[in-house]
């Protein structure tokens, strides 16, 4: 019997292949032979500059992607040239799954920052997953998490109060950062206020006011793109549409 090798996520995320392996193999260990098979598939560290496109609508599905450094947004552009943001993808999160059903990408992936990306060729990945039941289960789990994020986006857009949408966005970001092993209570936003507005279906001015009101209420502290969560419970209440009263005893979500 081959000895299992437990996964050290902090170590695994130091390189692109390890980032992909760490995310796909959670939470169980894998043995040395299976680790080698998966490592052999990953194409390591493709650099992209901020604003560079990784794939476009109509591009054939060749690979799935994991950013070891940097973040991405996926967008569609209307006939009038207006950009709609479909999602944001953080380091360690698998993306490119929009093409799995049809074999072609339906959106455009753009680097929000300078980034390093690993490519997992889809055909080889599915071949190996068929031979490794534990990897196959984890791949399905990752796909399910992507579907959950899509559902969360729909949930955000159905919220009537602008403040609730903004709080739900920050709460979701906090949870995702925690999941990938990064600080969830203090972080640098990789996206602009305008990109957040396009994701939430709000005006830029509304998003800016919403951040300011959450800050005035002592729920968050904002310096440019740096956000610090001061009152996680108040943020949770605001995201769920309840009393979002923070330490300053005001009601930001009702006023947004």
């Amino acid at each position: 019997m081959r000895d299992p090798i437990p996964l050290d996520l902090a170590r695994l995320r130091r390189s692109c292949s390890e980032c992909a392996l760490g995310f796909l193999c959670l939470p169980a260990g894998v043995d040395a032979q299976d680790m080698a098979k998966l490592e052999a598939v990953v194409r390591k560290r493709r650099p992209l500059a901020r604003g560079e496109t990784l794939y476009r609508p109509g591009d054939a599905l060749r690979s799935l992607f994991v950013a070891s450094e940097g973040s991405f947004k996926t967008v569609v552009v209307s006939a009038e040239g207006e950009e709609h943001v479909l999602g944001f993808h953080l380091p360690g999160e698998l993306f490119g799954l929009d093409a799995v059903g049809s074999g072609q990408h339906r959106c455009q992936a753009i680097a929000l920052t300078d980034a390093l990306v690993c490519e997992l060729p889809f055909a080889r990945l599915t071949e190996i997953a068929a031979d490794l039941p534990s990897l196959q289960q984890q791949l399905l789990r990752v796909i399910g998490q992507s579907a959950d994020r899509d559902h969360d986006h729909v949930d955000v857009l159905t919220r009537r109060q602008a403040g609730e949408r903004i709080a739900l966005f920050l709460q979701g970001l906090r949870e995702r950062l925690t999941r990938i092993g990064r600080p969830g209570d203090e972080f640098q936003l990789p996206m602009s206020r305008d990109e957040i507005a396009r994701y939430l279906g709000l005006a830029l001015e509304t998003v800016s006011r919403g951040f300011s009101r959450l800050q005035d209420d002592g729920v968050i502290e904002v310096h440019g793109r740096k956000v610090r969560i001061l009152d996680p419970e108040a943020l949770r209440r605001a995201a769920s549409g309840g009393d979002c009263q923070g330490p300053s005893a005001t009601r930001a979500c009702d006023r947004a």
Side-chain angles (χ1 to χ4, degrees), residues 122-132:
F122 187 69
R124 290 287 294 124
L125 181 63
T126 53
E127 287 176 8
I128 292 177
D131 294 333
L132 303 177

Side-chain angles (χ1 to χ4, degrees), residues 14-248:
R14 290 174 193 156
S15 76
C16 187
S17 63
E18 290 173 341
C19 175
L21 291 174
F23 203 68
L24 290 175
C25 295
L26 277 170
V30 294
D31 62 45
Q33 280 191 343
D34 291 348
M35 177 79 81
K37 288 179 183 178
L38 190 53
E39 281 186 328
V41 171
V42 179
R43 295 176 184 169
K44 299 182 180 180
R45 297 217 168 199
R46 172 182 171 185
L48 285 94
R50 177 184 176 186
E52 190 173 348
T53 294
L54 181 60
Y55 55 79
R56 292 179 170 83
D59 286 353
L61 170 63
R62 294 187 177 90
S63 299
L64 301 180
F65 303 94
V66 180
S68 63
E69 296 180 21
S71 300
F72 284 78
K73 64 178 178 179
T74 43
V75 306
V76 293
V77 180
S78 69
E80 295 75 26
E82 184 178 0
E83 180 181 281
H84 299 275
V85 178
L86 302 178
F88 299 110
H89 309 279
L90 306 176
E93 292 183 342
L94 196 72
F95 66 103
L97 294 164
D98 61 291
V100 170
S102 66
Q104 291 185 325
H105 289 286
R106 297 178 294 169
C107 59
Q108 184 174 0
I110 302 171
L112 288 165
T113 61
D114 291 345
L116 291 172
V117 181
C118 285
E119 299 184 32
L120 291 81
F122 187 69
R124 290 287 294 124
L125 181 63
T126 53
E127 287 176 8
I128 292 177
D131 294 333
L132 303 177
S134 61
L135 174 60
Q136 187 176 57
Q137 291 171 3
Q138 289 305 113
L139 184 58
L140 291 173
R141 177 173 173 265
V142 170
I143 292 172
Q145 288 176 344
S146 178
D148 287 344
R149 288 197 295 271
D150 291 341
H151 182 271
D152 290 342
H153 188 202
V154 173
D155 187 28
V156 166
L157 296 178
T158 61
R159 303 300 176 98
R160 297 181 61 185
Q161 294 288 344
E164 191 176 344
R165 293 188 190 187
I166 295 165
L168 191 59
F169 169 75
L170 290 173
Q171 175 70 11
L173 196 58
R174 177 177 183 265
E175 292 174 351
R176 288 167 63 188
L177 286 166
T178 301
R179 189 180 302 131
I180 63 175
R182 301 204 173 194
D185 287 331
E186 188 168 353
F187 49 86
Q188 187 86 6
L189 291 169
M191 69 290 291
S192 67
R193 297 284 194 278
D194 182 60
E195 287 163 330
I196 294 173
R198 293 177 186 273
Y199 177 73
L200 297 178
L202 300 171
L204 171 59
E205 295 79 7
T206 303
V207 170
S208 296
R209 286 197 303 269
F211 271 77
S212 295
R213 287 168 178 168
L214 285 170
Q215 178 165 255
D216 291 344
D217 286 359
V219 179
I220 64 174
E221 181 178 275
V222 183
H223 296 285
R225 292 194 182 188
K226 187 175 181 179
V227 176
R228 183 182 175 197
I229 309 297
L230 300 176
D231 191 336
E233 179 58 25
L235 182 65
R236 186 197 63 78
R237 290 197 301 270
S240 62
D243 184 350
C244 59
Q245 188 169 338
S248 63

